Amino acid sequence: MDAQENPVSEAAALPDLEPATRRTAALLGPVDDSRLDGPTPCPDYAVRELLGHLTGLATAFRDAARKDLGASTAVSPDAALPVLDDDWREVLPRRLEEVAAAWRSPDAWTGMTRAGGVELPGEVAGAVALNELVVHGWDLARSTGQPYAAGEAELRSCEALLAPAEDGPNVSPEDGSPEDGSDGGSPEDGSDGDSLFGPPVPVPGDAPLLDRVIALSGRRPDWRPGS
């Protein structure tokens, strides 16, 4: 059997979302109720909205991987401020486990799916899901005063997704949609109404890879609450 036709080889080559989901789940324990109204790098979000967004995106991208295209995959992430349910401490860790498991299936990365109300290829949706988990994991860590690190493979995937394209349309890191101006602007030019990803922030060329990815997502890598 040709190596390209070996399903084991193909599965091993797929990006793994589990390190990002485990890392984010580990950040949840220290988040007590007193932190929920604290600021985050997303200007319109307090910690509670960030946690609500993480719950929603984990659900949406779980269902996108399963090709279970219902209400969870139909809504744009900036349609309304996320609401954090009272049972988030039980639900969010479970959703994070589920989204990682769903994207372990090679079928998740093939064909078309939907996320944020946008139809997109499975391989693009998987890259967007990983980027969401990495960047918003960093948001949560910074917002709550916790350390954060990510693997190089994860960061390279995020860098490729977020870097402005030299030719052709870019891909929105929030929903994977083409950014040709038809949707009111793009995160790269700062004209999109979405407050979660903004225009890239300049950083030195020799900055750590994590800092470069965070800067590409429109955040200052040195952001701290109150800064």
Side-chain angles (χ1 to χ4, degrees):
M1 178 182 290
D2 190 282
Q4 291 183 341
E5 299 176 354
N6 187 334
V8 176
S9 298
E10 291 179 2
L14 295 173
D16 185 4
L17 274 63
E18 185 172 2
T21 59
R22 284 184 175 274
R23 199 164 50 241
T24 299
L27 296 170
L28 302 179
V31 183
D32 58 32
D33 289 349
S34 67
R35 293 182 181 269
L36 293 180
D37 293 320
T40 75
C42 307
D44 293 338
Y45 279 15
V47 171
R48 71 172 64 249
E49 282 83 32
L50 177 58
L51 291 166
H53 180 64
L54 279 164
T55 305
L57 77 86
T59 303
F61 282 102
R62 175 202 66 187
D63 293 345
R66 296 172 176 175
K67 309 298 194 292
D68 182 9
L69 308 183
S72 67
T73 65
V75 180
S76 171
D78 57 350
L81 282 177
V83 175
L84 184 65
D85 293 332
D86 292 339
D87 59 354
W88 70 270
R89 294 185 185 279
E90 293 75 39
V91 172
L92 180 50
R94 185 166 66 249
R95 290 290 183 271
L96 290 168
E97 291 179 358
E98 290 169 351
V99 70
W103 285 99
R104 279 192 214 106
S105 170
D107 291 343
W109 300 84
T110 63
M112 296 295 292
T113 189
R114 185 177 68 197
V118 176
E119 303 286 334
L120 69 170
E123 61 183 337
V124 175
V128 173
L130 178 59
N131 179 72
E132 289 273 318
L133 291 163
V134 169
V135 174
H136 290 315
W138 181 90
D139 288 337
L140 182 60
R142 280 302 170 96
S143 301
T144 57
Q146 301 183 68
Y148 190 83
E152 182 174 356
E154 298 170 82
L155 293 174
R156 293 294 181 193
S157 175
C158 295
E159 183 181 41
L161 183 76
L162 293 168
E166 294 182 3
D167 299 300
N170 291 329
V171 173
S172 165
E174 278 295 296
D175 59 20
S177 61
E179 293 182 343
D180 57 4
S182 61
D183 59 358
S186 73
E188 280 70 26
D189 64 18
S191 61
D192 197 320
D194 184 3
S195 64
L196 301 184
F197 288 78
V201 174
V203 292
D206 60 353
L209 181 55
L210 176 59
D211 286 1
R212 300 202 304 272
V213 167
I214 294 304
L216 283 170
S217 76
R219 293 147 170 79
R220 284 174 33 214
D222 63 349
W223 186 94
R224 296 289 190 283
S227 64

